Amino acid sequence: MARAPARPWRNDGDTARLRTMTPFGHIKEIWRYPVSSMGGERLDGTELAEGGIPGDRIWGIVDRRDGIVAAPEKRKHWRPLPNLLARLKGDRPEIGLDDGSWIDAGSSRAGELVSAFLDFPAALLPHVPFGSEAQDHIAPRYQRADIHIVTSASMNRLAGLLADPSQVDSRRFRPNIVIETDASRDGFVEQQIIGKVLSIGEARIMISESCARCTFTALAQGDLAFEPAVLQTIARHGEGGFGALCQVMQPGKVRLGDRVTLNEA
């Protein structure tokens, strides 16, 4: 399938310049993860602000026995966490229950629920900026990028390399945005556009680097089985990376179905 003709695009600033923009795809999924390491929520639309999607990964979980922050990719006792769901209500996360109801993440009941689910004492706490400390708050385990994207082209390529292609699902990779790429693009396309800019809805993002992967991609969640072959195949064929980390260059609103274009200049 041939690509549509490239169109000119005027850059912001005093000196307008023409740049070549080509179709790249459209937004297929939007995700937010209010509590780090827990299951997230799918959105119909959101604002891409400086720093990313508002409310994304604003709380975390610690083991009350030693104060260590949850790391499902490193320690087996944290592995069930992706099966607990969180959503944002106002400016605070809520934790989903089996009966379909939700409770405030800061309530004592939420702590009891997570502790019972994990079978050891755990606590949910708000995040503070990476590298800082505050009472009754925790710092994230790492400095995260504004936005994490994954494309359908990359997922299709990975599925074609696995014995069980059904195990390739966006939930394994915890992206903020899944882009359904145009049919003319295939392979691990994110690695082909490092350093370039995507116009995505009303926003613009720069593709900063390939997203290094860990054991989290293999974890069981929902109807997905524990599948080490996912990570092994990424390491073998993707040079350890899958998807891309991005910086928000121009904030703006994005919605499902919004077109995505690539700045080829």
Side-chain angles (χ1 to χ4, degrees):
M1 178 178 177
R3 296 185 189 177
R7 66 179 180 86
W9 169 79
R10 290 192 177 275
N11 191 22
D12 297 327
D14 295 334
T15 304
R17 294 178 295 174
L18 291 178
R19 294 180 180 265
T20 303
M21 301 296 292
T22 57
F24 189 79
H26 65 270
I27 300 176
K28 181 181 181 181
E29 299 174 14
I30 303 172
W31 289 88
R32 175 169 57 202
Y33 310 89
V35 181
S36 183
S37 298
M38 286 181 56
E41 58 177 336
R42 294 184 65 158
L43 306 175
D44 292 330
T46 187
E47 179 84 12
L48 291 191
E50 292 184 8
I53 293 176
D56 188 48
R57 297 171 171 91
I58 56 173
W59 281 50
I61 302 176
V62 297
D63 187 331
R64 293 210 318 262
R65 299 169 299 183
D66 53 22
I68 294 178
V69 179
E73 75 280 10
K74 293 181 179 179
R75 300 192 174 190
K76 289 184 178 181
H77 63 280
W78 289 116
R79 284 185 179 178
L81 265 183
N83 291 286
L84 276 178
L85 302 182
R87 71 177 187 183
L88 196 67
K89 183 71 170 179
D91 60 353
R92 288 168 67 90
E94 291 184 325
I95 308 303
L97 303 180
D98 290 339
D99 62 4
S101 62
W102 296 82
I103 55 174
D104 186 282
S107 68
S108 59
R109 189 180 173 201
E112 293 168 358
L113 168 69
V114 174
S115 298
F117 185 78
L118 294 171
D119 200 28
F120 62 85
L124 295 100
L125 297 171
H127 277 156
V128 291
F130 177 73
S132 62
E133 296 180 0
Q135 186 175 3
D136 296 327
H137 291 67
I138 54 174
R141 290 179 291 124
Y142 53 86
Q143 182 70 57
R144 66 180 183 86
D146 292 349
I147 298 292
H148 170 206
I149 68 167
V150 167
T151 65
S152 62
S154 288
M155 289 195 290
N156 291 339
R157 171 60 175 154
L158 180 60
L161 294 168
L162 289 169
D164 182 2
S166 69
Q167 290 302 313
V168 177
D169 186 288
S170 61
R171 288 171 293 171
R172 289 198 182 277
F173 312 111
R174 300 176 68 78
N176 293 116
I177 294 175
V178 178
I179 299 174
E180 182 74 32
T181 39
D182 290 344
S184 58
R185 300 184 185 274
D186 55 24
F188 299 124
V189 299
E190 295 90 331
Q191 298 189 15
Q192 303 166 15
I193 58 172
I194 302 299
K196 295 189 177 183
V197 173
L198 292 177
S199 290
I200 180 167
E202 298 176 357
R204 296 210 321 270
I205 61 174
M206 184 180 73
I207 312 300
S208 303
E209 60 184 293
S210 181
C211 185
R213 292 300 174 177
C214 63
T215 307
F216 209 115
T217 60
L219 299 185
Q221 52 181 302
D223 57 347
L224 298 174
F226 179 69
E227 184 51 86
V230 173
L231 179 59
Q232 294 164 359
T233 304
I234 290 173
R236 188 178 306 117
H237 296 277
E239 298 181 359
F242 187 84
L245 304 178
C246 311
Q247 178 184 357
V248 176
M249 307 294 291
Q250 174 182 301
K253 294 180 180 179
V254 298
R255 294 193 61 82
L256 295 178
D258 281 353
R259 71 174 181 172
V260 180
T261 54
L262 173 66
N263 175 6
E264 297 278 18

